[in-house]
Amino acid sequence: VSSNRLIVLAARPAGIPTAEHFRLVDEPVPQAGPGQAVVRNALMSVDPSMRPRMNDVPSYVAPFQIDRPLEGRALGEVVESRNPALPAGATVMHRFGWRDYALIDDGTVLDTTVAPASAYLGVLGNSGMTAYAGVVRVARLKAGETIYISAAAGAVGSAAGQIAKLLGATTIGSSGSEQNVRYLLDELHYDRAFQARDGQIAAELQRVAPEGIDVYFDNVGGETLDAALRALRPKGRIAACGTISSYNGEIPGAKNLFMMVSKRMRMEGFLVSEHFDVLPELIERIAPALRAGSFRAPETYFEGLERAAAALISLFDRTPKHGKVLVRLP
Ligand SMILES: NC(=O)c1ccc[n+]([C@@H]2O[C@H](COP(=O)([O-])OP(=O)(O)OC[C@H]3O[C@@H](n4cnc5c(N)ncnc54)[C@H](OP(=O)(O)O)[C@@H]3O)[C@@H](O)[C@H]2O)c1
């Protein structure tokens, strides 16, 4: 092979990205220098947090640069190595997706006999660890409590709902599509679920949880956060995981924040990067159910680097899909 295809940021989007914001470029396949390895990427993750990085605003991660390759977690086989910790033939996870070949100087060698490689980008990777940290450490969910999870069919949401259920909680999930609402109830063991339609979220949450909720796992923000603030009981807790409803532009802020005061509640934001140490506990807790097939780790695949932009866009355009969205490179 003589060429390495990469996807660069062609322009900064104003709303939901479209094909014109991405461009495929060709470069020579990189060669490993001292301490480096070349990985032929096989799978890459697309994540909602990539969208804010397409804006030129400072955040906890640096923005993507125009005409420079996008980045994201990916894994593949080491094809050339000058680093003994990343031997040729090993399956390695790293942060240089959006290209056929990645030049890396560090990465995580994966044990694919324990779990399929894709699990390390999903249920045993950032999505699962985010779900576990949010439910257990941030919200401190207890058996017998009721938790509401938004974007419940997604990568984080699908894991959070099942972890909450294993802890003995009553689970409520929402999704934008009717199809996913069925999936929440039939496959992910949610006790109750509703379709989140603009302008009706508070009424729907009230309908499925007339007795209120103890915990809100927030993936969405905006109107959904407002609805949850209303439904939370005194001393309720919010694990602030993400606000995907705002990633493509401005949304009105939450209007019900005074309820934090009147109901003496706690809202805590968190980043999975500060909770990577939950992994052994997460594995111990879910492995038996995962092996038995009762804990679902749904994945949605897009085929080929050419489809990577479509995969990212699918996180925002509300097309029905569930679980972790991944791009498979041939
Ligand atoms: N704090 C952390 O460290 C951390 C780490 C990972 C992820 N996150 C956050 O967790 C959330 C979920 O991430 P994920 O990777 O699991 O993605 P995901 O849920 O697999 O995909 C995003 C889903 O969000 C829903 N959605 C999209 N646009 C929306 C909108 N305008 N309003 C309401 N819902 C919308 C869609 O689901 P439906 O069509 O089914 O509604 C979509 O499939 C995101 O907010 C992300 O930023 C945080």
Side-chain angles (χ1 to χ4, degrees):
V1 203
S2 58
S3 111
N4 184 23
R5 297 170 312 152
L6 303 92
I7 296 178
V8 302
L9 179 65
R12 297 198 187 278
I16 295 180
T18 58
E20 74 209 27
H21 300 110
F22 305 85
R23 192 174 59 244
L24 199 64
V25 300
D26 264 311
E27 283 182 4
V29 175
Q31 287 189 329
Q36 294 183 315
V38 177
V39 175
R40 186 177 201 280
N41 283 336
L43 273 182
M44 58 176 258
S45 168
V46 290
D47 296 270
S49 58
M50 290 172 182
R51 175 60 189 86
R53 293 186 71 188
M54 296 173 84
N55 301 335
D56 192 14
V57 288
S59 183
Y60 65 99
V61 273
F64 295 129
Q65 296 302 313
I66 299 283
D67 293 332
R68 297 293 309 145
L70 298 174
E71 291 176 7
R73 273 167 303 119
L75 58 84
E77 187 188 327
V78 175
V79 290
E80 189 204 345
S81 179
R82 295 181 66 188
N83 180 334
L86 304 168
T91 301
V92 170
M93 183 167 65
H94 57 84
R95 57 189 182 85
F96 298 104
W98 297 86
R99 66 203 75 192
D100 291 322
Y101 292 90
L103 182 64
I104 62 172
D105 42 33
D106 70 39
T108 308
V109 176
L110 303 176
D111 184 349
T112 54
T113 62
V114 173
S118 63
Y120 294 97
L121 294 173
V123 69
L124 299 182
N126 273 16
S127 318
M129 289 191 278
T130 301
Y132 193 85
V135 169
V136 174
R137 288 190 176 171
V138 180
R140 298 174 213 151
L141 183 70
K142 295 188 284 288
E145 291 188 321
T146 299
I147 182 173
Y148 165 46
I149 300 164
S150 52
V156 173
S158 60
Q162 295 179 91
I163 289 164
K165 197 76 209 147
L166 286 175
L167 292 173
T170 296
T171 54
I172 299 171
S174 63
S175 159
S177 70
E178 214 180 318
Q179 198 173 317
N180 274 354
V181 170
R182 280 259 52 93
Y183 185 79
L184 295 176
L185 295 168
D186 296 345
E187 305 289 334
L188 296 180
H189 323 298
Y190 275 89
D191 294 298
R192 301 170 214 160
F194 68 93
Q195 189 179 356
R197 273 177 287 216
D198 289 351
Q200 295 174 32
I201 299 170
E204 281 298 295
L205 186 55
Q206 161 72 22
R207 183 181 63 78
V208 300
E211 73 293 359
I213 60 175
D214 302 293
V215 167
Y216 173 45
F217 191 111
D218 190 14
N219 287 319
V220 170
E223 183 190 335
T224 316
L225 172 58
D226 260 336
L229 283 164
R230 190 173 289 279
L232 278 156
R233 288 198 272 257
K235 298 281 182 185
R237 292 95 71 202
I238 300 173
C241 177
T243 61
I244 194 166
S245 69
S246 75
Y247 294 176
N248 288 288
E250 287 300 307
I251 49 148
K255 293 190 287 283
N256 293 338
L257 276 174
F258 180 68
M259 292 181 185
M260 293 293 300
V261 180
S262 57
K263 295 196 256 188
R264 290 93 64 209
M265 300 197 286
R266 179 170 64 83
M267 177 171 180
E268 186 178 330
F270 68 103
L271 288 174
V272 65
S273 49
E274 292 182 351
H275 294 281
F276 288 150
D277 60 313
V278 298
L279 188 59
E281 204 178 309
L282 166 70
I283 291 174
E284 191 186 312
R285 185 89 65 159
I286 72 170
L290 204 54
R291 265 196 299 274
S294 56
F295 194 105
R296 301 293 164 92
E299 297 169 338
T300 295
Y301 284 92
F302 285 72
E303 302 295 338
L305 189 63
E306 309 79 355
R307 298 276 291 147
L312 181 63
I313 293 165
S314 84
L315 299 177
F316 306 109
D317 67 7
R318 314 308 295 272
T319 46
K321 68 195 162 304
H322 19 81
K324 178 67 206 165
V325 177
L326 296 167
V327 180
R328 187 158 30 207
L329 309 188

